[in-house]
Amino acid sequence: MLDLFTGTVLARALHLAATLSLLGSAGFVAWMLPAAGDVPDRLRRRLTLLLRIGGLVAILAGAAWFTLQTAVIAEPDADDLSRLRDALPIVAIHTRFGSMLLARLGLLIAATGLAVFMPRGRLPAYLILLLAVAATSLQGFIGHAGASDLPIGGALVVSEALHLAAAGLWLGALLPLGITLPALPPVRAAAVCERFTPIGLACVLVLAGTGLLQGLELIGSLPALFGTAYGHLALLKIALFAVALLLAALNRLWLTDRLGAGIRAARRHLLLSVSVEALAGLAIVGAAAFLASTSPAAHDNPVWPFSWQFSLITVTEDADFRREVIISLLLIGGAILLTIVALVWRRFRLIALAILAAAVAWRGPSLRLLTVEAYPTSFQTSPTGFSVASIVRGQALYGPHCASCHGPEGKGNGPAAASLRIKPADLTMPHLWEHTDGEMFWWLSHGIDDPEGGVAMPGLPALPADDIWALIDYVRARNAGLAMQQDPAFDRPVRAPTFTPLCKDAYPPQRADLRGYVLHVVTEDPARDLLSIPPQNGFPTLTVTLREGRPAPGSCVPAEPEAREAYAILANLAPDALAGADFLVDPDGWLRAVHRPGAPGGWQTRDQLIAAIRGICVNPIHSPSGGSHEHHH
């Protein structure tokens, strides 16, 4: 028996498939069928019936989807459906999903009504096509695109509308094409297929472009593509799209020509190929329905499935290895080019393929220099948001779990270090930033093996994952505090510790997300003139005082009591020595400046503070990971 989630997804898939079938059938009747000339009445009646069935199934499946999705939201008792009955009008009126889906059903009812009373001619088909396109264009408002922030959310909504319209005109037209092929003489059937080609090609280009845009935003990276459930569904959809595209090319470049030439078996082969292509399209719609019901990959921590990852570290650090890789790439690339020329020229193909195989066998192993060892967590990032509570929690955990080897200061000189063959890493050195959060998580949870056997660093398998992430946050915060104090040229982007603001008479951020605000974090209530900083480059400034209690008028305080201690760690100061320090955080959550008490420079006056804020606003930091995850102050 299907569970509620699976039933909801299948109803969504059936609704979408039927809607695309209605769209594609209308497009086929309006644009492609006229290439056949005089159309038999029997064929026209079949296509009209297909329009009616597509519209009716879309309406019924849409109503089922709405009901099942409401049940997911309301969670009614199996024995008492009154809660579901009461929730239906609420979801219909007060949710975007309900209002958009009901609007779509209204458009589909109008389109189906036209199909039921459709007179002979193309005008009703054009009207049905227009209504179906309008119905599919609402999909973006009830999926991941509609939930995204502007302006990318608006771009995704438009992209989704174009994506579905193209899918309908191509994949939705395959079923009427399959009905048409056996009903027309070979030459006229081939003419319809030829008319299909430019429309199908345009649809493929639109599908590829819009799919790429959605993938970049909702998936974001290769690790997310290969290491998340959403990514796996996307890979399945891409593979099915490739199969459908290959069949479409086969149909046009070979089978259509054979059909036009009157070859006897061509019609049967073409009909079989179109049928398989239609099944691939139906599977694509199913995969898309599950994608729309799955959390986007960009919001998940990926589990990397390979034991290696691409890296330029080896060739960057060693000139001999770099030379070897360049020679290998040139030789293999030359062999590939030679093979392409031979295939196009249709001469010496076997010789070219032999040369390519020899080049890959000879020089291919050296390309392993472009990889390094990877772990399942290699591409994961800390889920803590680098919060003040996590940093302070990590500090408490460091002593009992790490200090015996790495030392209380993290310099790798703890009491147990002398007995180890491999000296523990110095956690205060810049090399820490060469390793990802995920790599550090794996080492802390599983340990590091000694290349000569044994264990170089024992893991902490009994420690909960949240505690391991907290340790990573603390180690990074302390390393950054030391580096920024000792090296004025330290240029590693460092996130500011995050907290929940409590504000009074300031800009009203009634949420934890303070993206878009400059934060001036101080340790003592500032002078009144420092609370009225005008927006710089369009970004307002919030003053946050690191103390407990109620905020002063025009400023904020952190809700978490650990905030002062966390910022003290990042400033490499004891909490009781933090008085007089202040920090600047840019609108994207990066810590841009630290002014320690008694240190030269900084911003002693209002004009100096405004100049510093203006400087960080006009010179933003671009995330080194290139990701689009939200960050919270």
Side-chain angles (χ1 to χ4, degrees):
M1 184 175 180
L2 295 177
D3 59 83
L4 185 58
F5 170 78
T6 304
T8 303
V9 174
L10 292 179
R12 180 178 193 157
L14 180 60
H15 167 72
L16 182 57
T19 302
L20 295 182
S21 176
L22 176 67
L23 191 159
S25 298
F28 182 86
V29 171
W31 290 337
M32 304 169 204
L33 188 62
D38 187 25
V39 179
D41 288 340
R42 184 178 180 184
L43 173 59
R44 194 174 293 279
R45 287 195 298 270
R46 287 182 177 179
L47 294 177
T48 301
L49 179 61
L50 181 62
L51 284 167
R52 295 169 180 171
I53 293 174
L56 182 61
V57 172
I59 293 168
L60 294 177
W65 176 25
F66 173 73
T67 303
L68 291 171
Q69 189 64 56
T70 301
V72 171
I73 297 171
E75 299 181 346
D77 295 331
D79 299 328
D80 183 9
L81 297 180
S82 60
R83 186 171 180 180
L84 173 61
R85 185 188 62 239
D86 295 339
L88 287 171
I90 297 175
V91 172
I93 298 172
H94 297 289
T95 68
R96 178 185 292 180
F97 163 77
S99 58
M100 290 294 104
L101 185 55
L102 290 182
R104 171 187 279 182
L105 291 177
L107 292 169
L108 290 174
I109 291 172
T112 305
L114 282 174
V116 170
F117 300 104
M118 186 172 78
R120 189 164 182 166
R122 283 193 288 169
L123 180 59
Y126 277 118
L127 291 176
I128 293 171
L129 175 63
L130 181 62
L131 290 169
V133 168
T136 57
S137 68
L138 299 178
Q139 177 68 29
F141 292 101
I142 55 180
H144 298 312
S148 300
D149 294 333
L150 292 173
I152 190 62
L156 286 177
V157 168
V158 174
S159 171
E160 182 80 0
L162 293 173
H163 192 80
L164 289 175
L169 290 174
W170 173 28
L171 300 176
L174 292 174
L175 184 55
L177 177 63
I179 294 173
T180 300
L181 285 176
L184 293 175
V187 174
R188 290 161 62 187
V192 173
C193 293
E194 291 174 358
R195 177 72 65 85
F196 197 111
T197 299
I199 298 174
L201 179 59
C203 291
V204 167
L205 294 175
V206 172
L207 285 168
T210 54
L212 179 61
L213 173 62
Q214 294 172 33
L216 289 175
E217 180 60 26
L218 299 177
I219 299 175
S221 66
L222 285 177
L225 178 64
F226 288 106
T228 64
Y230 189 96
H232 297 162
L233 287 170
L235 286 173
L236 174 62
K237 186 180 175 184
I238 292 170
L240 292 169
F241 176 77
V243 170
L245 186 59
L246 180 63
L247 290 170
L250 175 68
N251 297 343
R252 179 60 189 93
L253 299 178
W254 185 43
L255 295 177
T256 296
D257 292 341
R258 288 168 60 85
L259 178 65
I263 296 176
R264 200 167 203 177
R267 190 197 302 268
R268 184 175 70 254
H269 293 160
L270 183 57
L271 186 58
L272 176 61
S273 180
V274 169
S275 300
V276 176
E277 186 181 350
L279 289 175
L282 186 61
I284 289 172
V285 173
F290 276 93
L291 271 175
S293 303
T294 304
S295 174
H299 300 163
D300 286 342
N301 261 336
V303 178
W304 185 244
F306 308 113
S307 61
W308 52 270
Q309 61 173 302
F310 175 78
S311 174
L312 294 175
I313 290 178
T314 303
V315 296
T316 301
E317 295 178 348
D318 192 299
D320 291 336
F321 287 154
R322 182 165 59 250
R323 189 181 306 109
E324 181 177 350
V325 168
I326 291 174
I327 292 173
S328 297
L329 290 173
L330 289 175
L331 289 174
I332 295 175
I336 293 173
L337 181 61
L338 177 64
T339 302
I340 294 174
V341 172
L343 292 174
V344 173
W345 194 22
R346 297 186 177 183
R347 299 186 65 182
F348 307 112
R349 286 174 288 184
L350 293 179
I351 295 176
L353 288 171
I355 292 174
L356 175 60
V360 171
W362 176 35
R363 303 299 306 189
S366 65
L367 298 183
R368 293 175 183 171
L369 295 170
L370 295 175
T371 65
V372 295
E373 185 179 10
Y375 315 100
T377 61
S378 284
F379 295 97
Q380 295 185 10
T381 56
S382 174
T384 65
F386 205 52
S387 69
V388 293
S390 178
I391 293 171
V392 175
R393 171 65 177 159
Q395 183 182 41
L397 292 166
Y398 179 85
H401 294 285
C402 306
S404 61
C405 291
H406 291 282
E409 302 297 323
K411 296 182 178 296
N413 56 356
S419 62
L420 299 176
R421 195 185 68 82
I422 297 178
K423 184 180 179 182
D426 186 343
L427 302 178
T428 67
M429 298 299 291
H431 70 78
L432 181 76
W433 299 93
E434 302 294 338
H435 305 298
T436 66
D437 287 353
E439 288 173 335
M440 294 175 66
F441 182 90
W442 186 264
W443 293 331
L444 283 169
S445 56
H446 291 78
I448 300 176
D449 293 332
D450 186 335
E452 297 185 7
V455 177
M457 185 187 88
L460 302 170
L463 206 61
D466 290 346
D467 286 349
I468 294 178
W469 288 120
L471 272 172
I472 295 170
D473 284 347
Y474 166 70
V475 170
R476 288 206 185 278
R478 191 170 191 286
N479 183 290
L482 281 169
M484 287 187 291
Q485 185 177 36
Q486 297 172 359
D487 183 8
F490 179 76
D491 60 353
R492 299 278 185 178
V494 178
R495 289 293 188 185
T498 62
F499 52 81
T500 303
L502 302 175
C503 303
K504 181 178 181 180
D505 301 331
Y507 290 97
Q510 301 298 327
R511 52 193 169 93
D513 180 8
L514 292 180
R515 186 178 54 181
Y517 292 89
V518 176
L519 296 190
H520 179 209
V521 182
V522 298
T523 53
E524 300 171 339
D525 288 331
R528 191 66 194 170
D529 63 332
L530 298 182
L531 293 175
S532 56
I533 304 299
Q536 302 298 315
N537 207 34
F539 297 110
T541 297
L542 279 176
T543 300
V544 180
T545 307
L546 295 175
R547 63 170 178 78
E548 298 183 47
R550 295 183 178 180
S555 68
C556 308
V557 296
E560 296 84 353
E562 302 93 342
R564 188 179 184 93
E565 189 171 357
Y567 273 83
I569 294 170
L570 200 57
N572 194 34
L573 294 170
D576 55 4
L578 192 62
D582 51 348
F583 309 79
L584 283 181
V585 182
D586 72 14
D588 291 318
W590 297 106
L591 181 64
R592 300 298 296 272
V594 179
H595 180 220
R596 295 171 181 82
W603 38 91
Q604 305 298 328
T605 66
R606 184 173 187 271
D607 290 341
Q608 290 174 338
L609 178 60
I610 291 175
I613 293 173
R614 184 183 304 118
I616 66 174
C617 289
V618 300
N619 296 292
I621 287 177
H622 299 288
S623 173
S625 64
S628 61
H629 296 292
E630 293 185 4
H631 179 76
H632 304 281
H633 288 309

